[in-house]
Amino acid sequence: MGRNTRKRRSPLAVRAVAASAALAVAGGGLVWANFYASAGESRSPDRNSTRADTTQVATIDCPDVGQQLTSVPERARTGVDKELALLDEQITEAYARLASTRNAQAGDAGFVQNAILGPLKSKRTAAIERIAINIKRVGGSAPGGLDRLAGCTGKTVEQPATDAGEGQGGQDDGQGQDQNQGQDGGQNDDGGQNDGGQDNGQGQVGDNGNGAAGPFAEDFVDITTVQPNVQKIRTRRGGSSGTFTTTCGVNENKLFNTDNLIVAPGVDNGAHHTHDYVGNQGNDAFASDDDLAAAETSCQNQGDKSTYYWPVIRVQDGTAEFDANEQGGGAEGNVGRIVQAERAEIKFVGNARSKVVAMPKFLRIITGDAKAFTNGTANANSGWTCTGFTDRVLTDKYPLCPDGSQVVRTFDFQSCWDGQNIDSANHRSHVAFADPNTGACPQGFQAIPQLTMNLVYDVPRPVIENGQIQQPFAVDGFPEQLHKPITDHDDFINVFDENLMNRMVNCINSGRKCK
């Protein structure tokens, strides 16, 4: 496996490599401290387990400053984006310290606050002040109250004490998400041998090589126990019912990097996790619009040079991947075998209420939220299901699929555009979702072709026994997000040529199915 060539390294990346060098170990992965806890979740204790009276911080919850920046002058965005990337780096470093100081925390009730959260707040305060300076320097006005976003909190869970090596339960501390959805969680019916208890230098007992940073048994549910929940809006008169399908492969070229050109342009490892790329072959953190327009594409129709990218899925089976010791990979808790999708179904559809207009070239859209576990679910927008069960979709659980069925990730992108901007300061305000009941766009927005994606994977079904999961699959993510399924997300930059975009619009508006 490989990844696309870097043009240059950002100073932020150099600091990140140095910060985590002490945590990287030969063979990949981090030496995380062992804590069997799933923040924000709960399960019934095993009859052979007892609960400890103390709780321990499982992860770090910081306000998302970027989401508050709805209006940033264009000339300030480069500086602001780099400070936002620095805020992410600071959280990653603090989480690594949290995970590697469990013994110190057990002996000092004030350790997390004094040694981790306090210094983190000071660093964040300085970065937030620089964000305000960048905005004011070009005549803009920084949002009020940004300084109140500097402080972070710890998500705490009960620590289960066990006598048989089992237990990953925990109780919600009031900050976690509601992850029940009325499902009965039939995952405990699965049998199997749990052989994940050996410490091979990649983690601790039962942690699947990532130091108990997830996923956990509670993150999975048997898809056959989920009731159908998918509803479709019927296209009304005046709507647009056509479709346009583009075929761009499944990243057979092994194009990987840990950048995010939309959120952190110019910053190496801005994503802190590895992405698959299809379509445009020139996407890295330093690509300009001109670079994207001149790049090659994996799409069959060469008029589509758009870039489609998403976090990889890994099976935590002990495989030392190409990035086992690197930032975004094993050095940040993303471990195991990268699984290539069997199919990537990329389709653009119409609007139930109106005709669609052409997307502007280089329009950027992110669907879902890589930080939804700590941010909350306002921007979460991914789905998980299985082939043969697509009438039911999970948002905050990974599916356990029956024999013969494959895992499916689903994404429906925002389909309403403000008519002016190809991006916005928080990378969300320039686009919006149509009303889920009527299909109408918000006032001031117009309908564009809606990008929809299904990624189909052939992954082994994890085995759960006594509350522990063996060799689970999980989406790559920021380490403090604990590999939660609700953090899945997908990114798109439109680089269709004008003729092909117009053909797409005509096809969708006339109700045809085109390729």
Side-chain angles (χ1 to χ4, degrees), residues 290-303:
D290 288 342
D291 291 333
L292 295 177
E296 295 182 354
T297 180
S298 67
C299 299
Q300 290 182 4
N301 192 321
Q302 295 294 293

Side-chain angles (χ1 to χ4, degrees), residues 160-220:
T162 71
D163 56 10
E166 67 268 5
Q168 286 180 312
Q171 291 188 345
D172 196 331
D173 64 346
Q175 300 179 60
Q177 314 307 324
D178 180 2
Q179 300 192 348
N180 294 325
Q181 288 194 329
Q183 297 148 6
D184 63 10
Q187 66 267 33
N188 288 329
D189 293 335
D190 299 299
Q193 182 74 27
N194 183 1
D195 61 6
Q198 295 182 352
D199 184 353
N200 60 1
Q202 296 186 14
Q204 305 295 326
V205 178
D207 63 8
N208 293 296
N210 68 3
F216 305 94
E218 295 86 348
D219 292 320
F220 290 80

Side-chain angles (χ1 to χ4, degrees), residues 412-485:
D412 294 329
F413 281 68
Q414 296 89 317
S415 60
C416 303
W417 171 51
D418 69 5
Q420 297 181 358
N421 301 294
I422 62 170
D423 199 3
S424 50
N426 63 2
H427 312 294
R428 297 188 186 274
S429 300
H430 63 299
V431 288
F433 288 101
D435 185 284
N437 298 311
T438 66
C441 283
Q443 186 174 0
F445 286 75
Q446 50 194 312
I448 54 175
Q450 182 182 28
L451 171 58
T452 66
M453 294 180 61
N454 289 328
L455 306 176
V456 182
Y457 294 84
D458 187 11
V459 293
R461 175 175 167 132
V463 173
I464 297 173
E465 184 178 49
N466 296 325
Q468 286 200 30
I469 190 161
Q470 175 187 338
Q471 297 187 356
F473 63 87
V475 65
D476 260 20
F478 289 91
E480 77 278 1
Q481 299 298 311
L482 305 182
H483 295 101
K484 297 296 183 182

Side-chain angles (χ1 to χ4, degrees), residues 4 7 255 261 279-284 286-288 291-292 295-296:
N4 57 347
K7 296 182 180 178
L255 182 60
L261 177 59
N280 200 286
Q281 299 294 284
N283 185 341
D284 65 18
F286 309 100
S288 66
D291 291 333
L292 295 177
E296 295 182 354

Side-chain angles (χ1 to χ4, degrees), residues 350-415:
N351 181 275
R353 291 285 295 271
S354 67
K355 304 301 183 185
V356 299
V357 301
M359 293 180 180
K361 198 165 187 178
F362 306 118
L363 175 69
R364 287 147 162 80
I365 309 179
I366 301 171
T367 194
D369 184 359
K371 303 173 185 176
F373 181 58
T374 55
N375 278 352
T377 60
N379 292 313
N381 189 50
S382 60
W384 296 86
T385 186
C386 304
T387 56
F389 297 87
T390 53
D391 60 345
R392 61 205 72 182
V393 174
L394 303 163
T395 59
D396 55 4
K397 302 284 185 183
Y398 293 116
L400 294 171
C401 302
D403 290 345
S405 178
Q406 295 176 304
V407 171
V408 183
R409 299 163 74 182
T410 69
F411 303 96
D412 294 329
F413 281 68
Q414 296 89 317
S415 60

